[in-house]
Amino acid sequence: MYKAVGFLCIVAGCAGWGNRLAGQERERVRHLRMLSQMLGQMRSEISYGKHTMPEICLLLAETDDRCYSDCFRRIYERTAGENGTEFPKVWEEELRNCLEPFPLQEDERRTVAELAKYLSFREESGQAGRVGQAEAFLEGRYRQAEETCENRTKMIHSVSILTGLLLAILLL
């Protein structure tokens, strides 16, 4: 009886671990898609809307994702006021804090967080071009992650269950 319960607990624990890892893969795809869409919106607002970056942050604060919405609202509040804080510094600080808990790779985080450092162009075409480069990078990563996500999640589930079975056999 105790061995059967132990066997089930080990297999269930490993399956849960695999499910969490597979969920992280799906979350990464979702966040890459969201970031790519936001950068696309930024690019079009710079090119066609002729908005400033704090104004664009206020527009991005209307997104469906609460974390990103709160992040862009804080950027707008900190930079639109009269406290004199630099936009690139606030952008990087807020986005690093926002992106930290998400399952993104470091170069993906860095691309978004350090984007404002490279938006010092006076003309809109230069700014839109730089945002477009970051958008293309994240779009490529999103497409690649989306293509491999299903196979990776199947593999993670299989390996986690097989690991659970192996541990259960070895320990019991």
Side-chain angles (χ1 to χ4, degrees):
M1 174 69 172
Y2 290 118
K3 285 186 177 189
V5 170
F7 180 84
L8 289 175
C9 287
I10 290 171
V11 172
C14 288
W17 170 69
N19 195 33
R20 183 180 60 83
L21 290 177
Q24 285 179 341
E25 285 293 318
R26 287 187 294 273
E27 274 295 299
R28 179 172 176 260
V29 170
R30 185 180 76 82
H31 285 289
L32 285 172
R33 184 182 67 238
M34 286 284 296
L35 289 170
S36 178
Q37 289 172 350
M38 284 188 268
L39 290 178
Q41 185 178 355
M42 278 179 65
R43 184 178 42 77
S44 66
E45 291 296 336
I46 290 170
S47 294
Y48 305 113
K50 309 293 186 205
H51 294 290
T52 63
M53 287 304 292
E55 291 171 341
I56 292 171
C57 288
L58 183 60
L59 293 171
L60 290 174
E62 303 300 320
T63 60
D64 294 333
D65 194 295
R66 183 169 172 85
C67 176
Y68 292 121
S69 174
D70 292 344
C71 177
F72 286 115
R73 184 166 283 110
R74 284 190 307 269
I75 292 171
Y76 173 75
E77 290 168 354
R78 288 181 61 188
T79 57
E82 299 180 71
N83 60 4
T85 309
E86 297 180 3
F87 182 80
K89 178 183 171 195
V90 172
W91 173 276
E92 183 173 358
E93 182 181 308
E94 289 292 337
L95 278 168
R96 283 206 186 274
N97 291 338
C98 178
L99 298 175
E100 185 64 33
F102 301 142
L104 297 171
Q105 294 176 357
E106 186 57 35
D107 57 343
E108 297 161 352
R109 283 190 188 100
R110 189 175 47 249
T111 298
V112 177
E114 295 179 356
L115 178 64
K117 287 181 183 178
Y118 306 108
L119 295 179
S120 59
F121 302 107
R122 292 254 183 226
E123 72 279 349
E124 293 89 14
S125 62
Q127 289 180 345
R130 180 60 186 118
V131 172
Q133 289 174 350
E135 178 190 8
F137 172 74
L138 290 179
E139 180 74 21
R141 289 292 181 98
Y142 161 66
R143 298 283 180 215
Q144 180 184 15
E146 187 178 47
E147 289 172 3
T148 62
C149 182
E150 185 176 338
N151 289 335
R152 285 180 60 101
T153 56
K154 286 179 183 177
M155 186 262 314
I156 288 170
H157 283 292
S158 299
V159 168
S160 65
I161 290 172
L162 289 174
T163 302
L165 290 172
L166 179 66
L167 279 173
I169 289 170
L170 290 175
L171 296 174
L172 302 176

